[in-house]
């Protein structure tokens, strides 16, 4: 298992308590993490250790992930 | 045979001699441009002489609708205003949400052309009873809310759709707006053009139905488009957070211009949005009847010196202009100031930008305390924000200098002021930062109306937001495979994005529908059902390309060339502070290469002039 620290930004915080440590099987991706947090991957942007990554990015133990609500436009 | 999908007529009002004329629409021209900013650009290219003074009687202002304007079409609550801009002296256009567009079309007119200049303040009334030019002396000096209310009361019709200017338009502030209640035709100074004609308002109420050539096909296409919007994740985001919900994300992503563009992040976006959500937000609303998204925010400030009634406002751009641009962390002051901008009829983006510029001048000693009437223009001072809005609207004190925009103010101040007057073609820069996505740099530089927030946004949405708008079959590279920091092929991609994303402004439909699931195919199916013209996606994209080229020709005739497509040096430089300070990929070092790539894709020469071959291929 790997453990990922997740921080949700802004009103996404109302969806789940953060920062949270989420345990996941080895080889899990950002998409798996979002599923575990019950967040729709189509509605967010994910930063891994402060840099933007796509949902297929593979996670490592102790990665720090930030989930942002993203509104395209405006 | 009656033209379907359109009202079929245009109204021409010549104010100098008070002549009102109803005209048939040239069908050949309509098929080439469809409506909106396409038809408007062709009309102004043909009817305006080059180099006229934008605030003279020679300028014209055209209120345009299109086939996708209407209450029964998602996104149909739109109107596009076209004119020569007094701020840029180039092509000017400004879209406004609300019911005015559908009402104009329902009153029997696809286009309203206003020309000349009245010798006294007037307003136009367009109803089933006819078209009247009415005295407006009693409206002088009134705010937008007051003008709207008086016009409705004196005509005993609470449902009249009213577009009007505020005091700023009357005083010809070069970035004044035309307002439809809380919504704005905001950029490029349309309000000043109306003010220069002594035209204070236009009120309209229509009752005609627009028929479709193939009603079943039209209904089916509209249903499919509506389903796509309802199922798109961005729709729910817009509804829940509005555009202002983006500030926390943009700050974290390096897409939040801060302190007059010294940085692309501030670190306070999340804290500010949380405050807004808890204290200022009342609810959401749609700016026209039947909107499936409802991105508008009803907001307020309950108490204190920035107390503000419940109103529609607080958009992403407006709030960023009064927070990050000027490093003000008092959200109540930002909400209050944007409310004042709406009531005085001022573009919130340019207003925030001129304050940021003034604050940097103050810091550098180019504007001294005695120039400000002893206002303290230190960075982040919330107290001066509403005061400066009023001064600009009334052209009082320092406001008179700032009311002409940063380009002219920098010219007058001299010294180093030009280095930090952040504009493109004379239009103040909006609230996304190309240091976060290279495609945005190209869309910013090449937008025909200058450094605006509407047309260039597709660059950011593609590179950073990974939106493809259904354009992959038309040559767009899959954004998921594109690195936002990389410059390669961005010029080429921008050409495709622009040809597609100008379509809502041609069809006169809310652009956010494309951000919420509308594709070019939806447009083609709806237009075909409405008009019976069986238009294809490729033909629509060609009309998009033709429109961008005719607008470019308008600008070239005014003297515009590649030099005007440059973006400010500061916008390309590494941020001076913030989380991206040491991120070398933020710097835009190959802008000229991207621009060359873009010109090549456009079929323009190295100076940015459309070639004869290109124009011939577009039947121009």
């Amino acid at each position: 298992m790997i453990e990922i620290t997740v921080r949700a930004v802004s009103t996404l915080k109302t969806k789940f308590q953060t920062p949270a440590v989420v345990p996941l099987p080895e080889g899990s991706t950002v998409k798996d993490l979002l599923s575990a947090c019950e967040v729709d991957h189509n509605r967010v942007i994910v930063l891994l250790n402060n840099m933007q990554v796509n949902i297929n990015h593979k996670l490592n133990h102790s990665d720090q992930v930030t989930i942002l609500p993203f509104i395209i436009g405006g | 045979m009656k033209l379907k999908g359109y009202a079929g007529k245009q109204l021409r009002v010549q104010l100098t001699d008070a002549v009102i004329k109803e005209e048939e629409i040239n069908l050949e021209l309509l098929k080439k441009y469809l409506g909106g900013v396409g038809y408007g650009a062709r009309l102004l290219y043909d009817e305006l002489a080059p180099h006229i003074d934008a605030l003279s009687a020679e300028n014209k202002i055209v209120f345009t609708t299109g086939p996708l304007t209407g209450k029964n079409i998602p996104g149909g609550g739109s109107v596009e205003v076209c004119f020569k801009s007094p701020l840029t002296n180039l092509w000017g256009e400004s879209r406004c949400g609300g019911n005015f567009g559908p009402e104009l079309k329902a009153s029997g007119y696809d286009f309203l052309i206003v020309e000349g200049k009245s010798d006294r303040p007037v307003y136009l009334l367009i109803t089933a009873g006819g078209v009247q030019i009415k005295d407006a002396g009693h409206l002088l000096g009134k705010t937008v809310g007051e003008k709207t209310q008086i016009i409705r009361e004196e005509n005993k019709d609470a449902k009249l759709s009213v577009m009007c200017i505020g005091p700023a338009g009357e005083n010809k502030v070069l970035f004044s707006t035309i307002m439809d209640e809380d919504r704005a035709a905001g950029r490029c100074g349309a309000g000043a053009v109306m003010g220069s004609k002594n035209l204070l308002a236009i009120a309209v109420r229509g009752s005609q139905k627009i028929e479709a050539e193939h009603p079943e096909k039209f209904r089916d296409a509209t249903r499919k488009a509506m389903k796509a919007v309802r199922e798109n994740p961005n729709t729910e985001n817009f509804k829940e957070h509005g555009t202002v919900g983006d500030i926390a994300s943009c700050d974290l992503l390096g897409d939040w211009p801060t302190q007059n563009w010294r940085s692309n992040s501030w670190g306070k976006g999340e804290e500010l949005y949380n405050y807004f959500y808890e204290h200022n937000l009342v609810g959401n609303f749609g700016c026209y009847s039947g909107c499936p998204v409802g991105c508008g925010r009803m907001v307020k400030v309950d108490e204190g010196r920035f107390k503000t009634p419940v109103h529609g406002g607080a958009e992403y751009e407006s709030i960023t202009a009064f927070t990050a641009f000027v490093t003000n962390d008092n959200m109540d002051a930002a909400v209050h100031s944007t409310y004042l901008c709406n009531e005085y009829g001022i573009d919130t983006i340019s207003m925030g930008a001129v304050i940021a510029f003034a604050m940097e001048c103050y810091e550098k000693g180019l504007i001294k305390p005695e120039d400000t009437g002893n206002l303290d223009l230190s960075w982040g001072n919330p107290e001066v924000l509403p005061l400066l809005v009023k001064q600009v609207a009334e052209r009082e004190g320092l406001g008179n200098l700032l009311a002409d925009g940063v380009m002219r103010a920098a010219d007058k101040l001299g010294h180093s002021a030009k280095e930090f007057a952040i504009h493109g073609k004379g239009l103040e820069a909006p609230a996304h930062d190309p240091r976060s996505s290279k495609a945005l740099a190209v869309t910013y530089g090449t937008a025909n109306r200058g450094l605006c927030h509407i047309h260039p946004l597709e660059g950011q949405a593609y590179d950073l937001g990974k939106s493809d708008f259904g354009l992959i079959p038309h040559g767009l590279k899959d954004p998921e495979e594109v690195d936002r920091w990389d410059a390669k092929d961005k010029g080429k991609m921008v050409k495709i994005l622009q040809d597609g994303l100008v379509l809502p402004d041609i069809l006169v439909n809310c652009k956010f529908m494309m951000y919420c699931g509308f594709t070019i195919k939806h447009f083609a199916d709806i237009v075909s059902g409405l008009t019976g013209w069986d238009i294809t996606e490729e033909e629509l994209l060609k009309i998009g390309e033709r429109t961008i080229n005719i607008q470019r020709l308008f600008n070239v005739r005014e003297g515009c060339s590649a030099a005007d497509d440059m973006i400010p040096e500061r916008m390309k430089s590494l941020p001076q502070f913030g989380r991206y300070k040491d991120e070398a990929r933020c710097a835009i070092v190959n802008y000229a290469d991207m621009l060359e790539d873009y010109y090549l894709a456009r079929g323009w020469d190295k100076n940015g002039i459309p070639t004869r071959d290109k124009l011939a291929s577009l039947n121009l």
Side-chain angles (χ1 to χ4, degrees), chain B residues 230-242:
Chain B
R230 292 221 166 97
E231 289 174 356
N232 191 286
N234 213 28
T235 302
E236 200 50 41
N237 267 341
F238 267 135
K239 196 170 289 190
E240 190 177 344
H241 300 298

Side-chain angles (χ1 to χ4, degrees), chain B residues 225-403:
Chain B
M226 187 68 108
K227 186 168 181 285
V229 170
R230 292 221 166 97
E231 289 174 356
N232 191 286
N234 213 28
T235 302
E236 200 50 41
N237 267 341
F238 267 135
K239 196 170 289 190
E240 190 177 344
H241 300 298
T243 57
V244 69
D246 223 5
I247 63 176
S249 309
C250 288
D251 188 10
L252 274 166
L253 291 165
D255 187 30
W256 213 37
T258 299
Q259 202 176 77
N260 201 29
W261 293 81
R262 279 176 168 157
S263 182
N264 58 350
S265 68
W266 188 17
K268 291 197 177 187
E270 187 179 353
E271 169 195 327
L272 279 164
Y273 185 64
N274 288 344
Y275 180 93
F276 172 84
Y277 199 79
E278 202 175 317
H279 295 91
N280 305 115
L281 183 63
V282 177
N284 80 311
F285 75 102
C287 69
Y288 63 93
S289 314
C291 174
V293 178
C295 68
R297 304 289 91 182
M298 295 306 294
V299 296
K300 62 172 182 176
V301 179
D302 272 334
E303 55 196 335
R305 61 201 190 285
F306 300 118
K307 190 173 177 180
T308 313
V310 175
H311 66 281
E315 297 294 333
Y316 166 81
E317 294 279 341
S318 311
I319 290 299
T320 298
F322 281 89
T323 55
F325 277 20
V326 294
T327 48
N328 158 52
D329 60 7
N330 185 321
M331 183 55 89
D332 288 347
V335 169
H336 184 67
S337 302
T338 55
Y339 166 74
L340 290 180
C341 284
N342 285 357
E343 283 300 314
Y344 284 92
I346 294 181
D347 172 11
T348 52
I349 300 172
S350 286
M351 188 66 230
V354 298
I355 296 176
F357 169 78
M359 285 180 167
E360 189 160 347
C361 287
Y362 190 76
E363 176 198 273
K364 292 187 155 90
L366 298 178
I367 292 177
K368 298 190 170 55
E370 56 266 31
D371 303 322
T372 70
N374 287 320
L375 292 182
D376 175 10
L377 296 195
S378 299
W379 288 110
N381 180 4
E383 311 302 328
V384 298
L385 304 177
L387 297 174
L388 285 172
V389 171
K390 289 178 190 171
Q391 283 193 5
V392 164
E394 302 293 352
R395 282 189 173 272
E396 283 172 0
L398 182 65
N400 194 37
L401 174 78
L402 302 180

